[in-house]
């Protein structure tokens, strides 16, 4: 049993990585729409809804415009999802060493710890992704309002970061890669530049994990045929992951809006800057009303639902265990 537990960790890392890459490839355009909807302000709305955003993005930036920033996610989602799933598995195992089934509180505690672990990767990943995703919205804003010049509202921003948001009306828009943005942030701001919005990321990911993992575990348990056959069919794992993911995503949507606003380095015309979590939340509430905290909530649910549904199918089918050549070990069957 000890040997199985020891060698199962690499399998869980593989499962998380594969699931993350497949999921991101499928739902990234919806995530791009979510970011742009969250960042647009009242009175300056370029997009009416998710479909309107995607249609306008394809028209102005081409099909692959919907995948701006996808390379960052595909690169970092493997360690991010692997850490999240493996950490939750590890903490559940540690909390159930007495042989008793986990209480809801212990399940939430395990999810909380998993959420804290993943932000090591999530924060810089989201930071870079948002810069690339939102560039098209700012360019579109400039085309709609050519007389208004967007300005960088971040002191000391370099030319490289400015070029990533080039909104000139010329036919060729100079673009930079996530690696160039990373180098410039490290040079001008240090490591803290990549972890801008860390508090908001923790505020989103910890509650998400607290809601998601216990909810998924209980939904998944409902699909068990009998105590002798504790493994539900793969479609039940998918449905459980989708439902738990969508509920958790909507529940923490206000935190996600605050995080997106804080991590956006470039501001468009008449878009205010924020001095931390409380200031951001206060300004959004005062200027845009409580409904602004649910901007992009449906998009986020559509992103998270299949993302975690796919993750749980890969996880419970045991793709990583198969690749490593041993029998899958289901932690929830204990």
């Amino acid at each position: 049993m000890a040997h199985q537990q020891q060698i199962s960790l690499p399998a869980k890392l593989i499962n998380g990585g594969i699931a993350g890459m497949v999921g991101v490839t499928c739902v990234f355009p919806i995530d791009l729409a979510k970011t742009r909807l969250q960042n647009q302000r009242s009175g300056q709305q370029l997009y009416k809804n998710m479909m309107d955003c995607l249609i306008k993005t394809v028209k102005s930036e081409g099909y692959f415009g919907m995948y701006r920033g996808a390379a960052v996610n595909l690169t970092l989602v493997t360690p991010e999802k692997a850490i999240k799933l493996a950490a939750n598995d590890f903490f559940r195992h540690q909390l159930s060493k007495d042989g008793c089934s986990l209480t809801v509180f212990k399940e939430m505690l395990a999810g909380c710890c998993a959420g804290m672990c993943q932000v090591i990767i999530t924060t810089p990943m989201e930071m870079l992704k948002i810069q690339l995703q939102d560039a098209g919205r700012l360019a579109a804003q400039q085309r709609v309002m050519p007389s208004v010049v967007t300005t960088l509202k971040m002191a000391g921003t370099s030319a490289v970061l400015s070029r990533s948001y080039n909104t000139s009306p010329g036919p060729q828009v100079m673009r930079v890669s996530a690696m160039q943005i990373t180098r410039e942030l490290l040079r001008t701001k240090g490591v803290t530049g990549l972890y801008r919005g860390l508090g908001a990321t923790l505020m989103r990911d910890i509650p998400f994990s607290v809601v998601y993992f216990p909810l998924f575990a209980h939904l998944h348990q409902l699909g068990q045929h009998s105590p002798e056959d504790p493994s539900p069919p793969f479609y039940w794992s998918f449905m459980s992951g989708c439902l738990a993911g969508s509920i958790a995503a909507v529940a923490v949507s206000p935190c996600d809006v605050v995080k997106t606003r804080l991590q956006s380095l470039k501001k468009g015309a008449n878009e205010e800057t924020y001095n931390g979590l409380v200031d951001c939340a206060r300004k959004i509430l005062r200027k845009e009303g409580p409904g602004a905290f649910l901007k992009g909530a449906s998009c986020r649910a559509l992103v998270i639902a299949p993302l975690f549904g796919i993750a749980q199918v890969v996880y419970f089918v045991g793709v990583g265990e198969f690749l490593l050549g041993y029998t899958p070990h289901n932690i929830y069957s204990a």
Side-chain angles (χ1 to χ4, degrees), residues 55-254:
I55 291 171
K56 288 179 178 177
T57 298
V58 173
K59 285 182 178 179
S60 61
E61 303 171 54
Y63 174 79
F64 290 104
M66 294 189 298
Y67 285 88
R68 290 196 69 176
V72 177
N73 259 33
L74 289 172
T75 302
L76 296 179
V77 75
T78 297
E80 190 236 8
K81 285 293 177 287
I83 289 173
K84 188 185 190 80
L85 294 174
N88 179 69
D89 192 355
F90 172 78
F91 288 116
R92 287 179 68 95
H93 176 72
Q94 295 299 315
L95 292 171
S96 62
K97 277 188 172 181
D98 56 4
C100 300
S101 59
L102 288 174
T103 62
V104 174
F105 173 76
K106 286 186 176 181
E107 289 179 337
M108 295 175 70
L109 182 60
C112 175
C113 294
M116 292 180 66
C117 292
Q118 78 170 81
V119 297
I120 298 172
I121 302 295
T122 303
T123 305
M125 178 182 76
E126 294 271 317
M127 180 73 180
L128 296 173
K129 182 195 71 172
I130 286 172
Q131 315 316 312
L132 298 172
Q133 284 183 330
D134 200 42
R137 180 188 68 88
L138 295 171
Q141 186 186 72
Q142 177 66 11
R143 287 193 296 269
V144 172
M145 299 181 293
S147 61
V148 179
V149 179
T150 56
T151 57
L152 274 175
K153 297 181 180 180
M154 189 184 79
T157 303
S158 66
V160 170
L161 293 180
S162 300
R163 287 203 305 274
S164 68
Y165 299 102
N166 191 326
T167 56
S168 62
Q172 297 295 327
V173 178
M174 185 180 297
R175 296 181 180 179
V176 296
S177 66
M179 187 60 69
Q180 288 174 291
I181 298 176
T182 301
R183 284 198 295 263
E184 287 300 316
L185 281 172
L186 289 174
R187 185 179 65 84
T188 58
K189 301 292 181 180
V191 176
T192 56
L194 289 174
Y195 282 88
R196 181 187 176 100
L198 174 61
T201 306
L202 284 167
M203 189 175 68
R204 181 198 67 173
D205 288 350
I206 291 178
F208 177 90
S209 296
V210 167
V211 173
Y212 172 78
F213 284 112
L215 181 58
F216 170 78
H218 287 275
L219 289 173
H220 192 260
Q221 191 175 23
L222 294 176
Q224 295 178 356
H225 295 298
S226 65
E228 293 76 22
D229 183 19
S231 297
F234 79 93
Y235 67 82
W236 191 267
S237 294
F238 178 77
M239 291 171 58
S240 299
C242 287
L243 183 58
S246 59
I247 291 174
V250 173
V252 302
S253 183

